[in-house]
Amino acid sequence: MDESGTLVASPPRSAKLQVEGLSAYYGSKQVIQDLSIDFDDKSVTAIIGPSGCGKSTFIRCLNRIHETVPRARATGRVLLDGEDVYTIDPVRVRRRVGMVFQKPNPFPTMSIYGNVASGLRLNGVRKPALVQERVIRSLKQAAMWDEVKEHLDAPGVSLSGGQQQRLCIARALAVEPEVLLMDEPCSALDPIATSKIEDLIFDLKRDYAVIIVTHNMQQAARVADKTAFLYLGKLIEYGDTKEIFERPKVKLTESYITGRFG
Amino acid sequence: MPERVERKAFGEGLVQLNQHTVEMAGLAQRAVRMAVDSLVHRNDDRAKEVFLLDREIYRLQRAVEGECTDLIALFAPVARDLRTVMTVLKISTDIDRIGRGARNIAEVSLELSQVKQKSPKLDKISRNADLAIHMVDQSVRAFVEGNDRTVREMGRFDDEVDTLYREIFSDVLAGLNDRTIKPEVGVRLILINRHIERIADHAVNIANRVVYLVSGEAPPPVSRMVNGESGLTGAPGLAPAPPPSEPRADAEAGSGAAPADDSPSKAATGDRKPE
């Protein structure tokens, strides 16, 4: 919104995901308020905002994970290539809209190979040759093939934190999603692991629409083409990242990104 | 409204930047005033004081540059904070160039004091220096107040400076033609005229940076003049005449003053910095 309260949003290049009037609730508490936004294809969008503003809830609505929480619900529309995800089987939605979480969560009983293959098997891919091809391709896409190719049978949890997170990204990529949601994917990682994930995000945007929630302003500035600022469940400002970080139009955005409230 | 958070360390850094910038600007204005006074009153001691001021301006500029680097490295400023640091970084260079301009005038003034000729009238040069100093003052005041309203009309003052510049240029040429001004005096007056005009240009640069700081608007693009478009008149037999420069990209901002650094007095006064 600008000073007069009008939403400031850039026109989409080619919207992969269109959110229309989305509201989300935990019981009677509304945490997302009538939010509308378009996400470009083959582009990275950062969602920023103070703790509790609804960032994570918002992206969990995009692949219908939000509704798995007891008493949680959402209203409004989320159009994936024009098709409302709330009219599609949620399992299919989550295959098309993958997600990576804040804390790396490889399946503890599975090997590196098994972790990446798990999503494929759940989705009915049985042919060993096809599974192997997808696993290798996903590990390469996640920029960790060279690091793990000699010990694919090792447990996924034996990897470092940064490697585990990239393993989770590979697992998400294996089912060939169209959109990748990342909820603070680097918050538990050291600077080197963070740099690797950021490089990976840069590469991934060639093929995917990436939406990343981050508390790290510099990370948003580094990786995102566009940035959306949320406050109290509302979209306050949305635009090109360079504009948001150099000359935001809304005072509230400026106060937040310059660290004057939080 | 959300709870306000002060960024104390960053805030202190900005205050210090502000103080150094204002201090630099004050010294630069004083240096220009003293340089022109040394010329008008043929006062060599005053000219030499300008060299000291110039050194101090340079020292402060280096300090400001380091402070800006620290603030960027430590706090990764964005939005207005970023524009503030970038603005200070750029205008400190302009202020430094103004100090250099003053030094160049003082150097030429020292050289002129060695020439045995009754000084020609310097009213217009003095008046143009007043205008340039006023422009610097207005620009820096706008920076301190974070107010771009007053500097949006800086172009009008710059036009006045350019007009006087042309008049002075024509007057000197006329004096050279009718031999009332010796060549070694006339050439040096033209140099001084040029330095003053460049000082006004730096003031315009500062003003444009203040507009960027306040509004986020990029500094306006400046068209480059080509030979023959300078508008200089009254200079028979002199084509093309040197054009008064427009304010332009800061990377080039010092070039107008550079020739005077090769002046003989440089060695006598001690060089202040490598270019």
Side-chain angles (χ1 to χ4, degrees):
Chain A
M1 281 171 275
D2 63 14
E3 303 304 337
S4 64
T6 310
L7 181 69
V8 176
S10 301
R13 286 182 301 182
S14 58
K16 180 71 184 175
L17 208 55
Q18 294 169 287
V19 179
E20 296 178 353
L22 184 77
S23 294
Y25 306 81
Y26 290 104
S28 59
K29 187 182 178 193
Q30 185 172 1
V31 289
I32 298 294
Q33 303 192 36
D34 193 26
L35 199 157
S36 298
I37 187 172
D38 290 352
F39 294 104
D40 293 340
D41 197 11
K42 297 184 178 21
S43 149
V44 180
T45 304
I47 312 283
I48 61 170
S51 297
C53 75
K55 302 180 297 290
S56 295
T57 302
F58 171 63
I59 66 164
R60 290 165 67 91
C61 290
L62 303 182
N63 69 345
R64 299 188 58 177
I65 286 187
H66 172 64
E67 67 200 46
T68 61
V69 177
R71 299 186 67 228
R73 65 192 172 89
T75 60
R77 301 206 306 165
V78 177
L79 305 176
L80 178 60
D81 285 334
E83 190 179 10
D84 189 353
V85 301
Y86 283 91
T87 64
I88 310 173
D89 170 19
V91 175
R92 221 182 106 217
V93 171
R94 288 165 207 153
R95 193 191 64 69
R96 294 177 67 189
V97 184
M99 190 156 191
V100 176
F101 297 88
Q102 184 173 354
K103 204 174 160 204
N105 57 350
F107 299 127
T109 57
M110 289 187 190
S111 65
I112 292 169
Y113 187 97
N115 261 280
V116 183
S118 60
L120 291 168
R121 288 174 178 145
L122 279 173
N123 278 279
V125 181
R126 298 277 180 238
K127 279 188 177 173
L130 183 57
V131 171
Q132 183 176 329
E133 181 203 319
R134 292 267 195 93
V135 167
I136 293 172
R137 190 175 65 194
S138 302
L139 286 168
K140 283 181 177 171
Q141 273 186 301
M144 65 181 311
W145 172 247
D146 289 338
E147 294 168 53
V148 299
K149 64 184 176 189
E150 304 296 341
H151 41 272
L152 291 170
D153 292 335
V157 288
S158 66
L159 298 169
S160 71
Q163 286 174 321
Q164 285 187 28
Q165 191 62 302
R166 279 182 286 142
L167 179 65
C168 293
I169 292 172
R171 187 176 64 192
L173 297 178
V175 296
E176 298 184 324
E178 297 157 54
V179 178
L180 190 61
L181 308 174
M182 306 179 106
D183 191 357
E184 298 189 52
C186 302
S187 62
L189 305 183
D190 68 22
I192 293 171
T194 296
S195 293
K196 286 185 178 174
I197 299 284
E198 289 180 2
D199 281 350
L200 176 56
I201 292 169
F202 184 81
D203 291 336
L204 290 176
K205 77 173 181 180
R206 278 201 298 261
D207 301 310
Y208 306 94
V210 180
I211 301 168
I212 177 173
V213 165
T214 179
H215 266 127
N216 183 329
M217 294 299 103
Q218 275 63 53
Q219 180 167 70
R222 284 192 298 265
V223 304
D225 301 293
K226 284 188 169 182
T227 296
F229 171 54
L230 265 58
Y231 183 64
L232 297 179
K234 291 181 181 168
L235 177 63
I236 304 298
E237 188 167 354
Y238 179 40
D240 289 342
T241 298
K242 283 180 188 166
E243 289 291 314
I244 296 281
F245 282 95
E246 195 174 342
R247 50 181 82 85
K249 294 184 174 67
V250 185
K251 190 75 187 162
L252 198 58
T253 314
E254 167 123 9
S255 296
Y256 178 69
I257 64 174
T258 56
R260 288 187 170 82
F261 83 82
Chain B
M1 280 299 286
E3 186 185 353
R4 189 167 176 78
V5 177
E6 286 184 48
R7 299 182 70 194
K8 289 182 181 171
F10 183 71
E12 281 178 14
L14 284 185
V15 167
Q16 190 170 351
L17 264 190
N18 213 42
Q19 283 172 348
H20 279 160
T21 307
V22 171
E23 194 180 342
M24 274 182 79
L27 291 176
Q29 289 174 64
R30 203 169 130 209
V32 176
R33 166 65 53 222
M34 289 179 76
V36 175
D37 280 356
S38 75
L39 173 75
V40 173
H41 302 295
R42 292 211 161 194
N43 185 332
D44 288 0
D45 289 341
R46 200 163 286 184
K48 287 170 186 165
E49 278 184 60
V50 174
F51 302 137
L52 297 176
L53 289 176
D54 180 44
R55 276 174 179 268
E56 181 59 12
I57 292 166
Y58 178 55
R59 188 191 67 77
L60 282 169
Q61 196 239 346
R62 294 290 300 268
V64 164
E65 206 173 286
E67 287 159 10
C68 288
T69 305
D70 290 347
L71 288 177
I72 290 169
L74 300 178
F75 298 99
V78 294
R80 184 161 179 144
D81 291 341
L82 174 64
R83 299 203 302 271
T84 301
V85 175
M86 292 306 295
T87 298
V88 169
L89 198 56
K90 299 296 277 185
I91 73 175
S92 68
T93 304
D94 277 304
I95 295 171
D96 176 60
R97 299 295 187 186
I98 290 168
R100 175 178 285 254
R103 175 182 126 151
N104 291 334
I105 294 170
E107 285 172 349
V108 179
S109 170
L110 279 179
E111 291 165 8
L112 273 175
S113 71
Q114 307 299 315
V115 180
K116 287 190 169 43
Q117 180 184 28
K118 191 186 171 202
S119 179
K121 279 191 175 178
L122 297 168
D123 300 3
K124 285 183 181 173
I125 284 182
S126 187
R127 188 143 44 94
N128 225 13
D130 286 344
L131 267 174
I133 291 168
H134 175 70
M135 288 172 67
V136 174
D137 183 56
Q138 288 288 303
S139 299
V140 174
R141 195 181 296 267
F143 165 73
V144 172
E145 293 169 356
N147 181 353
D148 63 341
R149 192 171 45 81
T150 53
V151 293
R152 285 183 181 270
E153 293 182 6
M154 194 58 73
R156 187 169 58 81
F157 291 109
D158 194 43
D159 289 344
E160 282 184 47
V161 170
D162 287 346
T163 302
L164 261 177
Y165 167 88
R166 292 188 190 97
E167 282 181 24
I168 294 163
F169 189 81
S170 299
D171 290 350
V172 174
L173 277 183
L176 288 168
N177 280 337
D178 64 20
R179 297 175 189 277
T180 54
I181 298 178
K182 284 183 177 179
E184 56 266 46
V185 173
V187 168
R188 289 188 170 98
L189 290 180
I190 285 172
L191 270 179
I192 287 171
N193 195 26
R194 170 79 168 167
H195 292 316
I196 291 171
E197 192 267 334
R198 293 294 300 144
I199 287 167
D201 283 349
H202 287 297
V204 175
N205 278 346
I206 295 170
N208 287 337
R209 288 286 159 188
V210 174
V211 173
Y212 165 74
L213 165 65
V214 174
S215 68
E217 291 171 28
V222 175
S223 60
R224 289 163 183 271
M225 285 186 289
V226 296
N227 285 344
E229 290 181 7
S230 71
L232 285 176
T233 56
L238 190 77
S245 54
E246 288 191 2
R248 51 188 181 166
D250 299 21
E252 303 171 356
S255 58
D261 282 340
D262 299 326
S263 59
S265 61
K266 182 169 144 187
T269 55
D271 195 7
R272 79 205 256 273
K273 58 194 168 189
E275 187 58 24

